[in-house]
Amino acid sequence: NMDVTAGGTTQSYSFDSSVTSLSNMHWQENSFTFTATSETTLLSFTSTSPTASGPVLDDVSVTLNGVATDED
């Protein structure tokens, strides 16, 4: 289980990790919509899992009005 927070908005996500393994993580796609409250806004991911095997993240992206931007 995990909370995602940014710009004063928090959303909770849950997942049954008892069905996962290293060879099959049962990945889920989720989205989180928020409005930045300043030029820089902290995006945080906080485990709320009661066990040592908490959430795993992969391929996180942030878009501006639905359009991916590359600031490199």
Side-chain angles (χ1 to χ4, degrees):
N1 300 328
M2 175 176 60
D3 286 345
V4 179
T5 303
T9 301
T10 299
Q11 185 165 335
S12 297
Y13 297 88
S14 61
F15 180 72
D16 182 5
S17 61
S18 68
V19 298
T20 64
S21 66
L22 291 177
S23 62
N24 188 352
M25 295 291 288
H26 292 272
W27 292 104
Q28 289 182 347
E29 184 173 323
N30 292 288
S31 63
F32 173 72
T33 302
F34 69 96
T35 301
T37 54
S38 66
E39 199 170 295
T40 59
T41 296
L42 179 67
L43 173 62
S44 66
F45 303 90
T46 305
S47 173
T48 58
S49 177
T51 66
S53 57
V56 178
L57 297 174
D58 184 39
D59 199 23
V60 174
S61 63
V62 176
T63 62
L64 173 64
N65 296 326
V67 178
T69 60
D70 185 3
E71 295 292 327
D72 288 343

